[in-house]
Coordinates of all heavy atoms in Angstrom, one line a residue:
F174 N 6.9 -21.8 17.5 CA 7.5 -21.5 18.9 C 6.8 -22.3 19.9 O 5.6 -22.6 19.8 CB 7.4 -20.1 19.2 CG 8.2 -19.1 18.4 CD1 7.7 -17.9 18.1 CD2 9.4 -19.5 17.9 CE1 8.4 -17.0 17.3 CE2 10.2 -18.6 17.2 CZ 9.7 -17.3 16.9
F179 N 6.0 -18.4 24.1 CA 5.5 -17.2 23.3 C 4.6 -16.4 24.0 O 4.4 -15.2 23.7 CB 4.9 -17.8 22.0 CG 4.7 -16.8 20.9 CD1 5.7 -16.0 20.5 CD2 3.5 -16.8 20.1 CE1 5.6 -15.1 19.5 CE2 3.4 -15.9 19.1 CZ 4.4 -15.1 18.8
L204 N 6.9 -15.3 9.6 CA 8.1 -14.5 9.7 C 8.0 -13.3 8.7 O 8.5 -13.3 7.6 CB 9.3 -15.4 9.3 CG 9.5 -16.6 10.2 CD1 10.3 -17.7 9.6 CD2 10.1 -16.1 11.6
H262 N 16.2 -6.6 15.9 CA 17.1 -7.1 16.9 C 17.8 -8.3 16.2 O 17.4 -8.7 15.1 CB 16.5 -7.5 18.2 CG 15.4 -8.6 18.1 ND1 14.3 -8.4 17.3 CD2 15.3 -9.8 18.7 CE1 13.5 -9.5 17.5 NE2 14.1 -10.3 18.3
H264 N 18.1 -11.6 17.1 CA 17.6 -13.0 17.3 C 17.5 -13.7 15.9 O 17.2 -13.1 14.9 CB 16.3 -13.1 18.0 CG 16.4 -12.9 19.5 ND1 15.3 -12.5 20.3 CD2 17.4 -13.0 20.3 CE1 15.7 -12.4 21.6 NE2 16.9 -12.7 21.6
D266 N 15.4 -15.5 14.4 CA 14.2 -15.5 13.6 C 14.0 -14.1 12.9 O 13.0 -14.0 12.2 CB 13.0 -15.9 14.4 CG 12.8 -15.0 15.6 OD1 13.7 -14.7 16.4 OD2 11.6 -14.7 15.9
H267 N 14.8 -13.2 13.2 CA 14.7 -11.9 12.5 C 16.0 -11.5 11.7 O 15.9 -10.8 10.7 CB 14.5 -10.8 13.6 CG 13.3 -11.0 14.4 ND1 12.1 -10.2 14.1 CD2 12.9 -11.8 15.3 CE1 11.1 -10.7 14.9 NE2 11.6 -11.6 15.6
H345 N 12.3 -6.3 24.7 CA 12.5 -7.7 24.3 C 14.0 -8.0 24.4 O 14.4 -9.1 24.9 CB 12.0 -7.8 22.9 CG 12.1 -9.2 22.3 ND1 11.4 -10.2 22.8 CD2 12.9 -9.7 21.3 CE1 11.7 -11.4 22.2 NE2 12.6 -11.1 21.3
G365 N 8.3 -5.2 15.4 CA 9.3 -6.2 15.8 C 8.8 -7.2 16.8 O 7.7 -7.7 16.6
D366 N 9.6 -7.5 17.8 CA 9.1 -8.5 18.8 C 8.6 -7.8 20.0 O 8.3 -8.4 21.1 CB 10.2 -9.4 19.2 CG 10.1 -10.8 18.5 OD1 9.0 -11.0 18.0 OD2 11.0 -11.6 18.6
P369 N 4.4 -9.1 19.0 CA 4.7 -10.0 17.9 C 3.4 -10.3 17.1 O 3.4 -10.6 15.9 CB 5.3 -11.2 18.5 CG 4.9 -11.2 19.9 CD 4.8 -9.8 20.3
Q380 N 6.1 -12.0 25.7 CA 6.8 -13.3 25.6 C 7.7 -13.7 26.7 O 8.3 -12.8 27.4 CB 7.6 -13.2 24.3 CG 6.9 -12.9 23.0 CD 7.8 -12.8 21.9 OE1 8.5 -13.8 21.5 NE2 8.0 -11.6 21.3
D410 N 5.2 -8.7 13.4 CA 6.2 -9.5 12.8 C 5.8 -11.0 12.7 O 6.2 -11.7 11.8 CB 7.6 -9.5 13.5 CG 8.5 -8.4 13.0 OD1 8.0 -7.4 12.5 OD2 9.7 -8.7 13.0
H411 N 5.1 -11.5 13.7 CA 4.8 -12.9 13.8 C 3.4 -13.3 13.6 O 3.0 -14.4 13.8 CB 5.3 -13.5 15.1 CG 6.8 -13.5 15.2 ND1 7.7 -14.1 14.3 CD2 7.7 -13.1 16.2 CE1 8.9 -14.0 14.6 NE2 9.0 -13.4 15.8
Ligands
ZN89 ZN1 10.8 -13.0 16.9

Side-chain angles (χ1 to χ4, degrees):
F174 291 145
F179 199 43
L204 299 162
H262 62 301
H264 280 162
D266 57 315
H267 298 260
H345 183 65
D366 259 348
Q380 302 177 65
D410 267 35
H411 290 309

